[in-house]
Structure formats: C-alpha cells, structure tokens
Amino acid sequence: MNYETLKIEFKDSIATVTLNRPAKRNAMNPQMHRDMTHALEELRYDERAAVIVFTGAGTSFCGGMDLKEFFFESKGTPEYDRIGRMAVEWRGRTLRQFPKPTIAMINGFCFGGAFSFVEGCDLAFAADEATFGLSEINFKLFPGGGVSKALANLFRPRDALFYGMTGRKFDGKTATTMGFVNASFPLAQLEMETMTIAKEIAAKDPHALRATKEAYRFSLEMSWDAAISYAFAKENDITLQQKGAWIDEGIGDFLKGEFKPGLESHGAKKKK
Ligand code: COA
C-alpha cells in the first residue's frame, strides 16, 4: 500500500496509518483525502488489520485542512466541492461506520479539521504535550465541514463554544478532562500505551467488536423502541456471523469453569 501522503505499516494485527507530510505539519491536502479514502477502502478488507491506529509524522498529528491547497487555491472550483465532500465522508461516515476499531494517537499539533478526524475514531489517546485548537476563528472562519457536528457529538456545550470562540489552545491533559480523548500520556510513552490497548482490542472477537460499535453509534440516533429492536436483530446477526460462538464458546466455557468473563477475555487462559 503505497501512498504519496500516508505511510501504512502492519504489526500484531494492527495497521498504523501515519499522516506523512511532516514538513506541512500533516495538513490534509486534496491528495491526502484521496489517499485516505482509498486506504480505508483497502484496510476494510485487509486481514492483516484488526485495529487501525492513526498518527502523524514529526511534530504534528494533523494541522487540519490544508489552508493553501484546499481553501486558498481550489475555492470556487468543482475540485473544492469534490474534495470537501470526500473530506467529510471519510472522517464522518466511513470512520464512524468502519467495521474495525479505530484509534487516533495524537502525537502533536491537532487543529481545526483534525477534530472531526479524531471524533470519527472510536478511541483517542494523546500526548500530554499535544496542542489542540479550534483555530478557525483565528483566521475569520468558524468550525466548518464536519467540525461543528463533531463538537456537538463529543464536547460539553461550554467547552465547544469557549474554544470555538476564543481559538485558544489546550493540551492533551485538558483534552482528557474534556472527554475529547480517552487518556493522555507523556509523548515518550504514547505509542507504547496506545499499542498495548490496540493489541488488547485486536485479540477480541471481530464480530463482537463491530457489533459493539454499531449498536452504540446507531443507538445514538434511534428512538428507544428502534434501538431495542435493532439490538435484538443485531444479536441474531452476530449469532449467525460467528456460528453461535458467543453462546457455545463464550458462555459455554464459562459454564465449564474454564474462564471468568468478568475478569478476563475468552481464550486468555488457554493461551497462557
Ligand atoms: N495548511 C497548509 N499549510 C500548513 C498548515 C495548514 N493547515 N499548517 C502548517 N502548514 C505549513 C506552513 O505553511 C509551513 O509551510 P512552509 O514551510 O512551506 O512555509 C509548514 O507547514 C510549517 O509550518 P510552520 O507554521 O512554519 O510550523 P510551526 O511548527 O511553527 O507551526 C502550526 C505549526 C500548525 C501551529 C502552524 O503552521 C499553523 O498555525 N497552521 C495552521 C493551523 C490551522 O489553523 N489549521 C486549521 C485548518 S482547518
């Protein structure tokens, strides 16, 4: 998988996708949106990847939309509309509904359009030292594209408007307090901590992981009745997909006294 703007590596059932324009602080230019759209389509079916981790090369996670190549040079052209739609699609719908767990590993700068990238991922871990900012207000814009919706989904109202209206920066520890990321770690430990969690998740049943994501995400937008009906239908779906493994092996092995699901994952004891 060779891309102009991305580097993709596989290890331990984890695909690490690195935004690779460090000299431009990994700003998302039109080529990066094309590359990411294609890469996500490939990773969807790639058996080497049970979990996807996204990070950035150099000092930046992602500098947001490319202010030069996207906003300045293509504004008013059909390409602006095409790339704008693509940018919203992969960070919004594709990531949100991606069949495998996704993790943002925020190693440095994270501005503007990068917020909807982080929000589209299931989990996010940041360096304590990372710098976040809704910088749009600083260049006379507002959090456009999918960013305002990302804020509405994840931010507390006061935080969304405070940071949206001031453009002030915040670090990884503050992002954790706000609930924008799951946790932050010193930069030197970020990769090790993130990969430990990614490996733990990669060892779980892939159908159960997908159902966990889908049941949560779709329930957010459903009525209570529809959500319950969906959950029952999903249960039948996963039973079919796994050929009954959650009942026969998951619950079956518990009943045989082979493991305790409250304390460990299925298969963990057998592997020891
Ligand atoms: N779009 C396009 N180019 C960008 C960019 C962006 N979002 N962010 C950084 N770059 C480019 C700079 O123009 C510069 O290019 P050059 O070397 O050809 O002049 C290069 O990346 C390095 O940027 P620089 O500002 O010198 O690095 P820095 O480490 O001092 O600061 C930032 C990094 C990210 C704080 C700063 O570049 C910045 O404020 N960028 C804009 C961030 C933003 O508002 N993003 C939201 C977009 S929705």
Side-chain angles (χ1 to χ4, degrees):
M1 294 174 88
N2 288 322
Y3 295 100
E4 198 178 313
T5 65
L6 305 174
K7 195 172 71 183
I8 305 186
E9 291 158 310
F10 298 91
K11 196 180 169 209
D12 298 329
S13 299
I14 298 158
T16 303
V17 179
T18 304
L19 308 194
N20 199 20
R21 299 183 72 217
K24 298 291 178 185
R25 305 300 181 260
N26 303 319
M28 295 178 283
N29 67 346
Q31 188 57 39
M32 189 179 285
H33 293 297
R34 289 187 206 102
D35 286 350
M36 194 63 96
T37 300
H38 190 273
L40 288 173
E41 188 61 25
E42 295 292 308
L43 289 170
R44 194 179 184 93
Y45 302 106
D46 197 313
E47 290 181 356
R48 292 171 293 175
V51 172
I52 322 291
V53 172
F54 298 96
T55 193
T59 55
S60 181
F61 169 68
C62 175
M65 291 297 267
D66 192 302
L67 299 179
K68 178 170 178 275
E69 288 188 43
F70 178 66
F71 284 113
F72 199 74
E73 292 177 351
S74 72
K75 182 88 182 148
T77 69
E79 198 58 7
Y80 186 82
D81 184 67
R82 190 183 349 265
I83 297 298
R85 285 190 298 109
M86 204 179 268
V88 166
E89 192 69 24
W90 76 258
R91 289 172 298 172
R93 194 173 283 109
T94 307
L95 277 185
R96 192 171 277 105
Q97 299 180 8
F98 204 70
K100 302 171 181 180
T102 54
I103 303 177
M105 181 166 79
I106 302 143
N107 53 302
F109 293 126
C110 180
F111 289 111
F115 277 48
S116 46
F117 182 10
V118 174
E119 188 259 344
C121 292
D122 301 318
L123 303 176
F125 300 98
D128 292 340
E129 304 91 329
T131 304
F132 294 82
L134 287 164
S135 53
E136 293 91 338
I137 196 73
N138 292 338
F139 60 91
K140 302 179 187 289
L141 190 64
F142 71 100
V147 180
S148 281
K149 184 61 176 164
L151 298 177
N153 282 344
L154 270 192
F155 273 53
R156 296 180 300 207
R158 296 292 185 204
D159 286 331
L161 291 174
F162 178 78
Y163 289 104
M165 293 197 295
T166 62
R168 282 198 195 178
K169 298 168 286 172
F170 54 94
D171 63 13
K173 287 184 181 170
T174 307
T176 308
T177 311
M178 289 160 61
F180 186 38
V181 302
N182 293 85
S184 74
F185 306 100
L187 178 60
Q189 289 162 30
L190 176 65
E191 185 171 351
M192 186 266 291
E193 297 283 359
T194 306
M195 290 305 169
T196 300
I197 295 159
K199 274 187 223 166
E200 182 181 333
I201 294 173
K204 309 276 184 197
D205 182 272
H207 302 291
L209 286 170
R210 182 173 183 169
T212 301
K213 287 185 62 162
E214 291 182 351
Y216 171 72
R217 290 200 182 275
F218 291 125
S219 291
L220 286 172
E221 285 154 22
M222 286 182 194
S223 68
W224 188 86
D225 295 286
I228 299 305
S229 175
Y230 178 84
F232 279 114
K234 201 77 198 161
E235 190 180 303
N236 287 331
D237 176 35
I238 191 175
T239 306
L240 212 85
Q241 301 264 1
Q242 296 174 327
K243 302 188 175 58
W246 70 275
I247 301 175
D248 299 339
E249 297 170 23
I251 296 179
D253 287 352
F254 167 63
L255 297 179
K256 283 186 220 154
E258 290 187 6
F259 86 115
K260 295 182 195 295
L263 305 179
E264 60 195 338
S265 197
H266 184 262
K269 209 164 215 171
K270 289 178 182 167
K271 279 182 206 150
K272 277 178 200 162

